[in-house]
Amino acid sequence: MTAPLDVLVVGAGPTGLALAAQLRTYGTTFRIVDRSLDRAHESRALAIQPRTLEVLAPFGVTDELVARGNPAMQLRMHLPHRVVQIPLFDIGLADTAYPFLLFLSQAETESVLSEHLRGKDVDVERGTELVRLERTGSSVACRLRRGDGSEEAVEATYVVGCDGAHSTVRAQAGIGFEGYAYPQTFLLADLEVDGLEPGAVHTYMTGAGMLFFFPLGSPATWRLLAMRPPGAPDTEVDLSLLQEITTRYAGSRLALRDPVWMTDFRLHNRGAAHYRSGPFFLAGDAAHIHSPAGAQGMNTGIQDALNLGWKLALVCQGHSPQELLETYEAERAPVGRSVLRFTDRAFTVATSGNPAIRLARTRLAPRLVPLAVRVSGPRGRVFRTVSQLGIHYRRSPASASGSRPPGRGPCAGDRLPDLPRGLQAGTAGPGWHLLLAGPPHLWSDGRLAPVLAGRADVLTVHRLGEQSPWPGVAHGLVRPDGYLGHVSRGADVDGLSVYLDRWLRRV
């Protein structure tokens, strides 16, 4: 058996790769394995939300992702007698450096993350399958099998299942996966389309369902997503079938050609009963699977990973107590449940054969959508939800306001908005950051020194002076994932000390 690991990461899709990138930042001992011989080369997930671009920024990969992707800014909704142009993310995103939905193949996303890990001397062990897990006291005995049939015993303190909908980690940890399958069959293809205006998302609404074209760029210009029409034969997916369905939904002016990849699939709406069982954790599709509505799946998985990674690292290094790991499910399970609800509702509206919903889709939508897009308030809230910038952890055990909680400005558990001095949302890693605002007399080094002592390795202090962007807020303690752990309006050194003593040990 090899030397014990802090963490074994099972699954090297976007979720596992992001987790590995964060563990590497902290110097955590880990291995990442995947039973597939190669990374994904099909597009699968196809869009990256603004919040995901933020949380990946500390690893230096976001600029490359943006350079490879297509920041589409408009949706063209093709209705029976008109085309409605809906701006994507034009309002409600003033506090991010990435106010757009980035269309990028999952294959490209995995390529960028894999290249980053190679540059950090991290070997993704492909063709290596987890076959057995067994708890042995304070660690887990893991059995790995390689493609040649040889096996290896590995010991790890924690095991994270990033291994998808059919997760071995979830099954062997005994965690239920509750939900249901949708009855419809869907068709997916990356191909070229003649007659389609570039640079926008196109959707065609009909009584039978919806047809989407997304501006992918690579490995083909367009991603097609369509529901197989009710009563259509369950034949093999080929270009003629896709053209027939496109003509049925969109008319005869679109011509499909040069497919790179085609498939059909069924969709599920399922969530794990728990995100943790002892030393076992779940993230990404191992914890939640749902329809692609709103481009939430891969983004939620990456953010699962980056919520969990720093917590595992600090606990393994002795900087934080075991209780910090309990906050992972407390914070991410509500997000997962919210995504399951949101995508289910959107999917039902888009595909249901219920006469009332079909009427709303084909008759009411053409009248209401043009009016709805003019109302900035609700549209801004929708954009912040879809972009995942609105996620917060205000009810987390790891979120606490000081003795005088803020009236205006952020609350504990909120995402850190973009700030001056180079400290931007999601870029606070790898340690904690204490932002001190207001006149210097509010903070006495003599009072602060005992609180900060022994934490310099993972706690950095920034004095913002009187130019704080938060009226009335004296300090904000920023977690490594860019969310505020502790906030106070006054120079609440005692409250800050209690918080740090609970979550960040002296070393």
Side-chain angles (χ1 to χ4, degrees):
M1 181 179 290
T2 58
L5 302 170
D6 290 330
V7 182
L8 175 66
V9 181
V10 183
T15 299
L17 294 172
L19 178 59
Q22 191 171 58
L23 294 174
R24 178 65 181 84
T25 299
Y26 284 86
T28 311
T29 62
F30 72 95
R31 289 171 64 179
I32 176 170
V33 302
D34 194 296
R35 61 188 171 193
S36 299
L37 294 174
D38 198 2
R39 63 174 177 80
H41 290 277
E42 305 86 12
S43 54
R44 300 185 187 177
L46 76 160
I48 307 180
Q49 299 289 353
R51 182 57 183 153
T52 305
L53 292 171
E54 287 184 348
V55 297
L56 290 174
F59 311 120
V61 300
T62 295
D63 288 347
E64 179 63 20
L65 292 170
V66 172
R68 295 193 190 191
N70 179 4
M73 300 298 290
Q74 195 171 82
L75 168 68
R76 303 283 177 87
M77 183 176 289
H78 297 258
L79 302 171
H81 303 293
R82 64 185 300 189
V83 177
V84 178
Q85 300 184 15
I86 302 175
L88 294 176
F89 297 174
D90 64 321
I91 58 175
L93 305 184
D95 61 345
T96 180
Y98 312 103
F100 48 79
L101 179 62
L102 183 72
F103 284 94
L104 184 65
S105 160
Q106 178 178 329
E108 292 293 310
T109 301
E110 290 190 18
S111 173
V112 170
L113 291 172
S114 297
E115 289 172 10
H116 168 77
L117 291 174
R118 279 195 297 272
K120 298 295 183 180
D121 299 321
V122 175
D123 178 28
V124 178
E125 301 177 49
R126 297 197 178 274
T128 302
E129 181 181 8
L130 173 71
V131 293
R132 190 170 68 251
L133 294 171
E134 183 179 355
R135 296 181 64 171
T136 56
S138 60
S139 63
V140 181
C142 314
R143 176 68 62 173
L144 303 179
R145 179 183 298 148
R146 298 184 181 87
D148 61 5
S150 63
E151 295 192 355
E152 177 188 4
V154 174
E155 183 180 349
T157 304
Y158 301 103
V159 178
V160 184
C162 306
D163 49 345
H166 303 288
S167 170
T168 299
V169 175
R170 187 185 64 235
Q172 298 212 9
I175 299 174
F177 202 42
E178 302 159 356
Y180 47 87
Y182 294 107
Q184 300 91 342
T185 301
F186 289 83
L187 309 175
L188 206 61
D190 296 338
L191 39 61
E192 303 302 321
V193 183
D194 296 328
L196 200 59
E197 186 175 352
V201 180
H202 296 264
T203 178
Y204 296 81
M205 302 180 67
T206 74
M210 300 182 77
L211 167 69
F212 288 90
F213 289 99
F214 300 98
L216 195 58
S218 174
T221 303
W222 295 100
R223 152 69 65 85
L224 176 152
L225 173 64
M227 186 177 76
R228 191 187 291 267
D234 190 17
T235 57
E236 183 178 352
V237 181
D238 57 20
L239 188 61
S240 63
L241 173 64
L242 297 176
Q243 182 66 67
E244 177 186 340
I245 291 174
T246 298
T247 301
R248 178 171 179 173
Y249 283 141
S252 59
R253 74 182 195 88
L254 300 183
L256 311 184
R257 59 179 173 85
D258 302 329
V260 175
W261 177 62
M262 299 177 288
T263 190
D264 59 356
F265 63 98
R266 296 279 298 277
L267 290 172
H268 295 251
N269 186 285
R270 300 183 188 278
H274 297 285
Y275 283 31
R276 180 191 184 188
S277 176
F280 307 117
F281 294 84
L282 304 177
D285 286 356
H288 41 74
I289 56 171
H290 42 79
S291 88
Q296 301 293 292
M298 180 185 72
N299 293 274
T300 303
I302 289 174
Q303 291 178 53
D304 287 343
L306 299 185
N307 179 286
L308 176 61
W310 66 272
K311 297 174 181 178
L312 285 170
L314 292 186
V315 169
C316 289
Q317 293 169 356
H319 289 299
S320 293
Q322 290 279 339
E323 288 75 19
L324 183 63
L325 298 178
E326 297 175 6
T327 69
Y328 171 63
E329 180 168 346
E331 293 177 353
R332 294 305 299 175
V335 174
R337 289 192 292 269
S338 176
V339 169
L340 290 173
R341 289 192 300 269
F342 166 75
T343 55
D344 182 60
R345 289 167 185 164
F347 178 86
T348 300
V349 169
T351 64
S352 176
N354 180 284
I357 297 179
R358 288 183 62 179
L359 176 66
R361 188 167 65 228
T362 58
R363 300 292 180 86
L364 297 181
R367 295 178 172 85
L368 297 179
V369 168
L371 299 175
V373 298
R374 298 175 190 169
V375 183
S376 60
R379 186 155 52 94
R381 288 191 290 273
V382 170
F383 288 169
R384 290 194 72 82
T385 298
V386 174
S387 67
Q388 302 193 346
L389 293 171
I391 291 172
H392 64 79
Y393 305 129
R394 294 178 186 172
R395 297 182 179 179
S396 168
S399 299
S401 294
S403 56
R404 299 172 62 192
R408 291 183 296 167
C411 298
D414 285 356
R415 159 188 165 270
L416 177 72
D418 278 351
L419 287 174
R421 301 175 185 251
L423 232 176
Q424 295 182 332
T427 61
W432 293 67
H433 291 253
L434 176 61
L435 310 182
L436 302 179
H441 72 264
L442 281 181
W443 299 99
S444 163
D445 287 340
R447 295 177 65 203
L448 275 176
V451 176
L452 305 179
R455 298 186 171 108
D457 288 345
V458 285
L459 178 61
T460 304
V461 179
H462 304 264
R463 295 184 180 273
L464 300 181
E466 298 187 50
Q467 303 303 314
S468 170
W470 305 329
V473 176
H475 85 257
L477 185 63
V478 186
R479 306 179 345 172
D481 58 356
Y483 290 88
L484 289 158
H486 190 271
V487 179
S488 179
R489 293 184 67 182
D492 183 12
V493 177
D494 291 339
L496 176 64
S497 178
V498 170
Y499 184 91
L500 289 173
D501 285 344
R502 180 177 182 186
W503 299 112
L504 194 58
R505 289 173 173 164
R506 304 173 193 274
V507 178

